[in-house]
Amino acid sequence: MREVKNYIDGEWTEGKSETIERYNPADQKELVATVAGSSVHDVNEAVFAAVKAKKKWAQTAAPERGAYLQKVAHLFEQYADELAELATKEMGKRFVETKGEVYRSAAILRYYAGEGLRKVGEVLPSFDAKNLFFTKRVPVGVVAVIAPWNFPLAIPIWKIAPALVYGNTVVFKPALEASATGARIVELFAEAGLPPGVLNFVVGRGSTIGDAIVEHKDVDAITFTGSNAIGSEIAKKAAARGAKYQLELGGKNPAIVLKDANIEFAARLVVEGAMKQTGQRCTATSRVFVEKEIIDVFRTHVMEQVRRIRVGNGMDEQVTMGPVVSKGQFETVQRYIHIGKQEGRLLIGGGASDDVGWYIEPTVFDSVSHRAIIATEEIFGPVLSIVEAASIDEAIEMANDSIYGLSASLFTNDVSKALYFIEHIEVGMVQVNGETGGAEPQAPFGGMKQSSSGTREQGQAAIEFFTAYQTISIRPHPNM
Ligand code: NAD
Ligand code: MN
């Protein structure tokens, strides 16, 4: 059991708000953490510490800033098992998945450590021939990192690492459901010797301290990943006081299976896309459009794949799907399953049990209209809807008929159809013969429409949010 506290200006201090007990979603008897929730006062102290540290950190050589990230990457690998176990016990994802996330986080840290050695500007021609005319990327200042629980390691890291390497100081608030993992991440930065005040940590409910962070006049930028409801409120508050913001939000990600595809392969990846991490990925597959000629065969393969899934505690190697994260999520997903039974035909699953943990069966609905509630709203659980399509055009049209635009995949062996799909699908992350999930540190990640604020995270794209441009002219003395 861990006690989670604030980390402000290099000191761990007891949060001055309510104390919250957090239990393992796979085993409700196991107390994983007690969280001493931060108060508004704690938030103000954390922001103050970040402001105080801002100048010196911005003036630290970028390769030196990168070197801290290298050290943290090394520590992630050194403590991989422990970090993964903590994350699994805290939010329920399988150990192999959290362990994968540890290594992915290390890769992200190394990528951004390298950014400390790459260019931060360019020389431009000028209408004045003697002008040395160039751009320079400068830090934004104090960045608030507000993260969700579903990638408790990688999402905080893909925000914190670029924020730091480009010279910003940070106030980090993880989701309540990922507080202990968040605190452990911060401990590793401290162990790497990061100077006090550069990375500060507050914990608790968004409803208690969210506004204090978002509306603080000294928070220059807010990077948020989470739900659309919270994200759009943050955007309004940030815009009202002229703060920079970045939002990565929900999805309702479609897969399309054409009649020429390898159907068994497609079914395997669609089920994986839907059920991996218990469907709790922003890029999870939640709708699949299938050409009518192959829908019977596809359905059979889907059932076969789903029957193989073993639900249970993610620390058990035999288990292939963990619990959902919380009672709230358990109830939400069950509500959608109930709606689904009226909107379509329950093909497989539908059951749930809260005797030990928050367990829900992998669930597939068939004969669903693409306008049904279960086919339009983000469920964030192990629920897939199969929708029949008459053609690729109809499938793409239905796929695009959504407020979301995060990711999509197409299964086909016809390259012309793949090109056609790429041209017409309205999403940020496009997959051909792959599942809807997946991101790599060097590539921009994010969605279109209401899935994102239009900004992108990771890769070279991160510099756009975490720095501001200065455009500089230097002219010689007129006599020269
Ligand atoms: P959430 O919106 O409930 O919470 C996200 C974060 O916001 C948490 O840290 C929470 O404490 C905080 N928060 C809550 N109220 C706040 C307020 N009033 N002010 C400021 N912060 C506040 O999301 P979640 O339940 O943690 O995560 C699930 C959601 O995240 C899903 O909608 C999912 O699609 C989305 N998500 C998106 C991506 C992406 O990259 N697009 C990735 C992962 C998850
Ligand atoms: Mn939530």
Side-chain angles (χ1 to χ4, degrees), residues 149 177 227 329:
W149 46 264
E177 299 89 338
S227 61
Q329 206 64 24

Side-chain angles (χ1 to χ4, degrees), residues 147-150 173 175 210 224-227 248-250 282 378 380 445:
W149 46 264
N150 66 331
K173 192 203 95 60
F224 172 86
T225 297
S227 61
E248 288 302 335
L249 308 170
C282 52
E378 184 183 55
F380 227 58
F445 176 82

Side-chain angles (χ1 to χ4, degrees), residues 28-201:
Q28 291 161 45
K29 289 191 300 295
E30 187 184 351
L31 182 64
V32 179
T34 58
V35 179
S38 305
S39 63
V40 169
H41 176 77
D42 297 321
V43 169
N44 293 340
E45 298 271 295
V47 175
F48 183 68
V51 170
K52 230 174 36 171
K54 186 158 98 166
K55 199 166 173 186
K56 194 164 172 208
W57 184 246
Q59 287 169 354
T60 302
E64 196 182 319
R65 294 195 298 248
Y68 289 107
L69 303 185
Q70 282 285 9
K71 282 187 203 152
V72 179
H74 181 73
L75 293 172
F76 262 66
E77 286 164 350
Q78 186 179 330
Y79 299 122
D81 283 337
E82 179 230 304
L83 269 170
E85 186 172 339
L86 176 61
T88 291
K89 288 190 170 167
E90 186 168 36
M91 53 68 71
K93 187 151 106 177
R94 291 160 63 217
F95 181 75
V96 288
E97 290 168 342
T98 49
K99 187 127 179 223
E101 206 184 320
V102 171
Y103 286 107
R104 182 173 160 201
S105 303
I108 296 166
L109 284 158
R110 291 218 167 83
Y111 178 86
Y112 286 107
E115 275 296 276
L117 297 166
R118 290 186 201 111
K119 72 182 165 86
V120 285
E122 52 197 359
V123 179
L124 300 162
S126 169
F127 280 91
D128 175 349
K130 287 190 172 173
N131 186 9
L132 174 57
F133 197 35
F134 64 101
T135 63
K136 190 177 149 206
R137 300 281 193 161
V138 298
V140 180
V142 173
V143 174
V145 169
I146 303 179
W149 46 264
N150 66 331
F151 287 95
L153 296 152
I155 291 180
I157 288 298
W158 85 47
K159 295 176 183 296
I160 292 169
L164 294 182
V165 82
Y166 297 126
N168 305 283
T169 56
V170 171
V171 174
F172 164 38
K173 192 203 95 60
L176 179 62
E177 299 89 338
S179 305
T181 310
R184 189 70 189 118
I185 291 172
V186 174
E187 277 177 13
L188 297 184
F189 278 91
E191 189 172 334
L194 195 75
V198 173
L199 172 62
N200 305 280
F201 179 69

Side-chain angles (χ1 to χ4, degrees), residues 352-466:
S353 157
D354 60 359
D355 295 344
V356 182
W358 307 117
Y359 292 109
I360 295 183
E361 284 176 3
T363 300
V364 182
F365 288 100
D366 188 18
S367 311
V368 179
S369 147
H370 90 281
R371 288 272 174 83
I373 292 168
I374 55 164
T376 52
E377 295 183 9
E378 184 183 55
I379 299 173
F380 227 58
V383 181
L384 173 70
S385 294
I386 301 178
V387 182
E388 187 179 293
S391 64
I392 181 173
D393 283 302
E394 196 199 19
I396 292 175
E397 203 173 295
M398 291 191 288
N400 284 338
D401 187 12
S402 172
I403 60 165
Y404 296 111
L406 186 49
S407 69
S409 59
L410 176 76
F411 292 89
T412 185
N413 288 316
D414 182 336
V415 73
S416 302
K417 290 194 168 153
L419 291 168
Y420 187 79
F421 169 74
I422 294 164
E423 196 176 331
H424 294 282
I425 195 74
E426 297 163 356
V427 299
M429 309 300 294
V430 186
Q431 298 273 355
V432 175
N433 296 325
E435 66 121 324
T436 48
E440 296 192 31
Q442 72 282 14
F445 176 82
M448 291 180 178
K449 300 180 181 171
Q450 290 183 36
S451 289
S452 157
S453 53
T455 47
R456 287 291 179 270
E457 300 196 85
Q458 304 196 69
Q460 292 290 303
I463 199 169
E464 300 301 333
F465 181 74
F466 291 104

